[in-house]
Amino acid sequence: KAGVTQTPRYLIKTRGQQVTLSCSPISGHRSVSWYQQTPGQGLQFLFEYFSETQRNKGNFPGRFSGRQFSNSRSEMNVSTLELGDSALYLCASSFMGRQYGYTFGSGTRLTVV
Amino acid sequence: ILNVEQSPQSLHVQEGDSTNFTCSFPSSNFYALHWYRWETAKSPEALFVMTLNGDEKKKGRISATLNTKEGYSYLYIKGSQPEDSATYLCAFVIIQGAQKLVFGQGTRLTINP
């Protein structure tokens, strides 16, 4: 079966620009969450969506936003990019329930110059 | 601030040797703990989802135990092989409106042939 698909894989943007990242979850998974990985911070939770509703948000500025569509696909947007936003952004999908693990995508590597 | 600690940060093991590493997490309000393996240039892959104190899970040569009362989990690899080289992440699952994962910094395992 198809895994979690993230596009694009790599992205180079200039400070001040905005960017949109896309995530298509595994079929049947309605929960989609986003994580940021930077060398010093490890994996940090950004937000989680379920049935088109954001249910949880991490400690990130309002420049980071997201949404989920009726087919469970999710997008993440970062506006007014800063150099510190350079990171690997991972999307994960799962079934609901404590017995389920998450399936991660390969990530989008964002570089802000 | 919720802390999830993994030790050691990195480990070099000879092929054929067995090894283990630790994940420490808060002992109160336990919900679930995940272990993931993350190979370079790939997606994090779920190894185990652990939900009950005393849980022991096994997948081939890899096994994990859970002690929620004292707040730790061990991951064991028996007879290490080069393909075991990866970063092993534990993630403490918390409920804040919805599930979110709080990751440790990971243990970087290198198997020397």
Side-chain angles (χ1 to χ4, degrees), chain B residues 14-26:
Chain B
Q14 283 300 122
E15 183 177 351
D17 287 352
S18 296
T19 187
N20 66 84
F21 24 94
T22 307
C23 172
S24 300
F25 51 85

Side-chain angles (χ1 to χ4, degrees), chain B residues 2-109:
Chain B
L2 195 153
N3 270 336
V4 179
E5 303 281 346
Q6 289 189 248
S7 61
Q9 283 191 342
S10 66
L11 199 50
H12 289 254
V13 173
Q14 283 300 122
E15 183 177 351
D17 287 352
S18 296
T19 187
N20 66 84
F21 24 94
T22 307
C23 172
S24 300
F25 51 85
S27 56
S28 59
N29 299 318
F30 179 83
Y31 184 74
L33 186 89
H34 298 180
W35 280 99
Y36 292 88
R37 174 171 58 201
W38 196 357
E39 296 178 66
T40 304
K42 295 188 177 179
S43 319
E45 172 200 357
L47 288 172
F48 303 114
V49 174
M50 311 190 79
T51 58
L52 296 174
N53 184 44
D55 258 355
E56 292 187 23
K57 302 256 175 135
K58 189 174 180 184
K59 189 175 184 177
R61 294 177 293 99
I62 304 176
S63 59
T65 61
L66 179 70
N67 183 324
T68 61
K69 295 187 188 309
E70 297 183 37
Y72 64 83
S73 176
Y74 293 138
L75 191 80
Y76 301 89
I77 301 178
K78 187 177 176 182
S80 303
Q81 299 297 309
E83 59 265 30
D84 296 329
S85 294
T87 297
Y88 291 81
L89 294 165
C90 71
F92 185 70
V93 183
I94 65 173
I95 303 294
Q96 284 179 349
Q99 272 184 210
K100 81 173 198 184
L101 303 183
V102 179
F103 283 90
Q105 294 289 335
T107 293
R108 175 83 185 142
L109 176 65

